[in-house]
Amino acid sequence: MEILGASLRICVDDLETAIPFYERLAGGRALRFERGGVQVAAVGSFLLMSGPQSELEVLRKVAATIAVEDVEEAHRLLTELGAQVVAGPVPTPAGRNLLAVHPDGSVFEYVDQRGA
């Protein structure tokens, strides 16, 4: 499994205020979408999230989002290495994702850009 990159997950109170800062910092435009009542803006290597505190509480437990070529391949390797896949693979607006708890207790989201 090749890791293509990682996004830093940042929970913000006001997405509209945060986006211009991160667009200037990353030198690009935000890609916006909503997932489960949470407003999301992907800007460069940053994944900004804003929404109900109950949802953000869960999202804060995920250390980072890891981009991979194929989430199914990641699922197989993670399981083989002793990680626990707790959600997914499921379709997202940009591809597929899964959540996995590594043997050390760290939680990561794995994503690809393949259709479901």
Side-chain angles (χ1 to χ4, degrees), residues 9-105:
R9 300 167 63 93
I10 303 167
C11 296
V12 298
D13 291 330
D14 184 349
L15 196 61
E16 296 309 315
T17 300
I19 286 174
F21 173 84
Y22 285 96
E23 285 180 334
R24 290 282 312 273
L25 183 64
R29 302 288 300 162
L31 169 65
R32 299 175 189 222
F33 57 94
E34 183 178 337
R35 179 110 194 252
V38 175
Q39 298 296 316
V40 180
V43 187
S45 294
F46 302 100
L47 196 58
L48 310 175
M49 299 172 287
S50 183
Q53 287 305 312
S54 60
E55 294 292 327
L56 295 180
E57 225 174 89
V58 173
L59 295 173
R60 283 188 176 99
K61 294 177 183 177
V62 179
T65 297
I66 309 295
V68 295
E69 184 71 30
D70 183 356
V71 163
E72 295 293 339
E73 179 185 353
H75 184 277
R76 285 189 295 276
L77 181 58
L78 288 162
T79 302
E80 179 182 308
L81 294 173
Q84 179 186 5
V85 175
V86 295
V90 297
T92 72
R96 301 174 299 175
N97 80 340
L98 66 79
L99 288 177
V101 180
H102 291 187
D104 64 9

